[in-house]
Amino acid sequence: AQSVTQPDARVTVSEGASLQLRCKYSSSGTPYLFWYVQYPRQGLQLLLKYYSGDPVVQGVNGFEAEFSKSNSSFHLRKASVHWSDSAVYFCVLSGGQVVGQLTFGRGTRLQVYA
Amino acid sequence: DMKVTQMPRYLIKRMGENVLLECGQDMSHETMYWYRQDPGLGLQLIYISYDVDSNSEGDIPKGYRVSRKKREHFSLILDSAKTNQTSVYFCASGTGAETLYFGSGTRLTVL
């Protein structure tokens, strides 16, 4: 069965610091992986996606993620966070019991303080 | 304009009442989804629709049904709402399992 684990429910960092949000996945086939962000009282928006090729993928607003097949991981990183990055971040795996389904992690709430 | 619109944004109903949540998209996407989001649980798939009148149950379909009579419109219906259906409901659309576009959500409270 497909699954996504985000081990950190909440992360707090100071503005300007670097960031890593962790994601581990379990997939029986080739994983297609995504990071989505949810700002307060809004829907989810795509940050970046990985299908194949270069394991480091670039996304919007300076975010990047690194895919590791050996570690079954897809960690999200940013070199220098801004207060506006405060949001909930979801790691997402394509696939599930139903064709076309996406499997969501439980999310990591990021709080950036000045 | 690549938009998914959900109506209403907020809804309060009494237990046993019927609930209709509506979703529209302007991208002619074939696939549309209904998810619910509960604190600490991420998003759980209720139903997926592959096109008009082509719907499949997701992980938690019990207590819900859907209707898709036009490609751009996908409704979620709760017949006789229950208090444990209090949640935030998100509609999304996309091309298969590619990038999904989400609406802003409907916060449903069942008293």
Side-chain angles (χ1 to χ4, degrees):
Chain A
Q2 309 236 135
S3 68
V4 176
T5 302
Q6 294 180 248
D8 304 307
R10 191 180 292 266
V11 170
T12 302
V13 297
S14 60
E15 195 169 28
S18 62
L19 170 72
Q20 177 171 278
L21 301 182
R22 296 182 293 165
C23 172
K24 301 275 282 186
Y25 70 89
S26 174
S27 174
S28 56
T30 302
Y32 294 161
L33 292 154
F34 310 80
W35 277 96
Y36 279 82
V37 60
Q38 183 180 29
Y39 298 103
R41 294 174 296 283
Q42 295 185 26
L44 283 72
Q45 304 169 35
L46 181 70
L47 270 182
L48 49 80
K49 57 187 175 184
Y50 172 80
Y51 290 157
S52 64
D54 189 337
V56 178
V57 291
Q58 304 295 322
V60 299
N61 296 334
F63 285 94
E64 67 175 27
E66 183 166 8
F67 169 74
S68 172
K69 186 174 182 179
S70 60
N71 294 325
S72 297
S73 67
F74 189 56
H75 301 329
L76 181 70
R77 303 189 298 235
K78 188 171 184 179
S80 176
V81 297
H82 186 264
W83 65 267
S84 60
D85 293 325
S86 297
V88 180
Y89 292 80
F90 292 94
C91 183
V92 182
L93 173 65
S94 177
Q97 299 284 359
V98 178
V99 173
Q101 181 175 0
L102 297 182
T103 300
F104 285 77
R106 295 190 174 194
T108 297
R109 182 176 296 277
L110 172 66
Q111 181 68 49
V112 180
Y113 63 92
Chain B
D1 192 28
M2 295 200 300
K3 195 171 183 180
V4 176
T5 303
Q6 288 186 242
M7 295 292 288
R9 288 296 307 272
Y10 301 92
L11 187 60
I12 299 175
K13 288 287 191 178
R14 296 194 180 278
M15 193 169 57
E17 291 184 327
N18 297 332
V19 178
L20 173 65
L21 305 185
E22 312 229 49
C23 174
Q25 51 104 354
D26 61 3
M27 296 164 279
S28 296
H29 287 156
E30 294 176 347
T31 309
M32 296 187 72
Y33 307 75
W34 276 106
Y35 285 93
R36 66 177 279 176
Q37 183 180 33
D38 299 294
L41 290 182
L43 272 72
Q44 298 173 275
L45 180 66
I46 306 172
Y47 269 93
I48 184 172
S49 175
Y50 301 107
D51 211 331
V52 171
D53 285 331
S54 178
N55 308 315
S56 287
E57 296 180 345
D59 296 324
I60 53 165
K62 188 177 180 181
Y64 304 94
R65 62 184 173 93
V66 292
S67 175
R68 192 163 180 208
K69 297 302 182 184
K70 295 181 180 180
R71 177 172 284 188
E72 64 271 17
H73 191 252
F74 191 34
S75 300
L76 180 69
I77 302 120
L78 290 65
D79 295 315
S80 188
K82 299 174 180 53
T83 55
N84 62 8
Q85 293 178 307
T86 292
S87 186
V88 181
Y89 291 86
F90 285 100
C91 175
S93 74
T95 53
E98 299 282 322
T99 303
L100 293 194
Y101 295 84
F102 283 83
S104 298
T106 294
R107 185 175 294 273
L108 172 66
T109 301
V110 182
L111 302 175

